[in-house]
Amino acid sequence: MYLRQRLEAVAETLRDFSLAAEERYQEGVELATAGHAAAGIYLLGYAAEMWLKVASFRFDGAVGNDLISPRLAPAKNWLKIRAPHMKPENFHSLAFWVSYLFTRRAAAAHRLPTTLSGELLHRVRRIYLIWWIEMRYRPDQALSDEVTRVYRDVTWLREVSPQLHR
């Protein structure tokens, strides 16, 4: 059985996303430090996206073996009512996921601490300005300071991600 068949045979779970986020992070760091700026940024951005999704779904009550796919459309529909300007970008938008997390937490009267909230918003916005899912179709135009910025911001997100769903 080929890799695609093996992967398609099993639905994505929250646990899978957590493991994949760490793998993409490590691969992104390796590529970025080897001089592959766009590839490093691309994988680091994917890791950030997955950590935001995991935090959002865990806050909603999901646990390790819960499936990801059935949670995507309800998240989109829920936020569309409360923040219609937020575009999910085929569920890859970092701005969408941080907004979803903040809005869900606010609706539950369980906001993040102000310092953490401000830092999270600042760093995710910065990553959002550099990382874009569609960058995979473009030649590498990444600048060295952009690689550094994404690396630092995604590393910070990796470190605080367990706090985001509590």
Side-chain angles (χ1 to χ4, degrees), residues 4 19 43 51 66 74 97 110 121 127 133 158:
R4 181 175 178 153
L19 294 172
L43 292 178
W51 280 315
D66 287 349
W97 288 109
H110 195 70
L121 190 56
I127 300 167
I133 190 70
R158 174 182 179 235

Side-chain angles (χ1 to χ4, degrees), residues 130-149:
I130 299 170
W131 180 81
W132 181 41
I133 190 70
E134 299 298 324
M135 71 187 288
R136 65 186 176 222
Y137 301 119
R138 312 294 171 97
D140 186 349
Q141 297 181 34
L143 304 174
S144 62
D145 67 313
E146 292 170 327
V147 177
T148 302
R149 183 168 295 138

Side-chain angles (χ1 to χ4, degrees), residues 5 9 14 66 92 103 123 134 140 164:
Q5 294 169 312
L14 208 61
D66 287 349
H92 296 293
T103 307
R123 288 179 182 264
E134 299 298 324
D140 186 349
L164 301 180

Side-chain angles (χ1 to χ4, degrees), residues 25 29 44 51 150-160:
Y25 173 81
V29 169
L44 289 168
W51 280 315
V150 168
Y151 166 73
R152 287 180 181 160
D153 290 341
V154 174
T155 299
W156 179 89
L157 179 59
R158 174 182 179 235
E159 291 168 4
V160 302

Side-chain angles (χ1 to χ4, degrees), residues 11-69:
E12 300 160 328
T13 66
L14 208 61
R15 182 173 290 113
D16 293 336
F17 261 47
S18 295
L19 294 172
E22 185 61 30
E23 289 174 0
R24 296 305 81 79
Y25 173 81
Q26 295 299 333
E27 293 162 352
V29 169
E30 286 181 35
L31 285 168
T33 57
H36 302 286
I41 288 171
Y42 190 69
L43 292 178
L44 289 168
Y46 254 132
E49 175 196 328
M50 287 186 277
W51 280 315
L52 289 171
K53 285 177 180 173
V54 167
S56 296
F57 297 147
R58 282 199 187 278
F59 184 77
D60 286 345
V63 294
N65 287 330
D66 287 349
L67 300 178
I68 294 290
S69 185

